[in-house]
Amino acid sequence: MINVYFVADTHFGHKNIFKHTKRKFSETQDLVEHDEKLIEIWNKKIKKNDIVYIVGDFSFHSAEKTKELLKRLNGQKHLILGNHDTSSSRIQEMFVTVSHIKFVSFKKDNYHFMDDNMEIVLCHYPIASWPNKQRGAINVHGHCHGKYDKINRIDKELRVDVGIDSELGNNDIVSLEQLYYACKKITNGLRFGEYYEKIYCKQNFLTKIISIFKENLLTLSHKF
């Protein structure tokens, strides 16, 4: 069986990554050790024919060194460009696809753990609105190194950070099954489209009403 995985913000070869994150798998602040441990984590989970979506900020190495790195990593790799993927034009032949945004879908009939279809919009950055959001499509992103997790929880959006440093990533690679159950946790088991229609839209409507009410009260207080 071909499995599907998601990862973001690996930052191979980035000497300043230790200043911004806490990577449990790297016991020292040595870049060689960091990269080797990350390769080990990657290949332990991802097999040769598995599909992996890299949601940006893959490598800070030169194009040639990044090519050598990619040869060592298992999987059919799709790159969604991040703000640090500056050498992508010189290594794009190493990926199945390279894009700024990517749309993928997974049918419940093909995965034993699913009771709902998944439509996913992959973008390195968390976005406020995306195609088919109103039908329950999910925004999968990176970039934030876990700092957006709290906002995602408060918003109750179908938006998930799959970065190495996120809560879901937790210093590892995220499987499709993990992502699916994380999204089902947001909806409390409801189907994704049903959640948007019955819960999310209602919450947003009430939020707008409360906001308008507060603005009117503020206006009245200034008048009197």
Side-chain angles (χ1 to χ4, degrees), residues 51-101:
I51 296 169
V52 55
Y53 295 99
I54 304 166
V55 195
D57 286 5
F58 173 69
S59 173
F60 280 62
H61 288 303
S62 66
E64 289 306 313
K65 194 165 183 178
T66 299
K67 282 183 180 180
E68 293 303 313
L69 171 65
L70 285 163
K71 289 176 184 177
R72 295 180 61 191
L73 294 171
N74 292 337
Q76 304 177 61
K77 308 170 195 72
H78 298 259
L79 177 64
I80 294 85
L81 293 166
N83 51 304
H84 291 299
D85 295 307
T86 54
S87 63
S88 60
S89 61
R90 288 170 285 165
I91 60 171
Q92 59 184 356
E93 74 275 8
M94 303 294 294
F95 300 97
V96 179
T97 63
V98 178
S99 57
H100 285 282
I101 191 166

Side-chain angles (χ1 to χ4, degrees), residues 126-172:
I127 46 184
S129 189
W130 52 91
N132 286 339
K133 179 181 178 180
Q134 74 278 13
R135 296 185 181 91
I138 298 150
N139 171 217
V140 168
H141 69 90
H143 187 63
C144 301
H145 298 273
K147 295 180 177 66
Y148 215 77
D149 287 329
K150 185 176 181 180
I151 295 171
N152 285 344
R153 283 197 302 273
I154 293 170
D155 286 351
K156 299 187 182 299
E157 296 260 22
L158 286 171
R159 183 176 57 220
V160 183
D161 187 347
V162 294
I164 284 283
D165 308 301
S166 69
E167 290 177 359
L168 185 60
N170 192 26
N171 289 265
D172 206 346

Side-chain angles (χ1 to χ4, degrees), residues 17 21 102 104 121 133-134 169-170 177:
I17 192 61
T21 64
K102 190 170 183 67
V104 294
V121 179
K133 179 181 178 180
Q134 74 278 13
N170 192 26
E177 185 171 1

Side-chain angles (χ1 to χ4, degrees), residues 5 42-50 74-76:
Y5 296 95
W42 183 297
N43 287 336
K44 186 177 180 179
K45 183 166 279 191
I46 300 170
K47 306 307 177 188
K48 182 180 178 181
N49 292 320
D50 288 341
N74 292 337
Q76 304 177 61

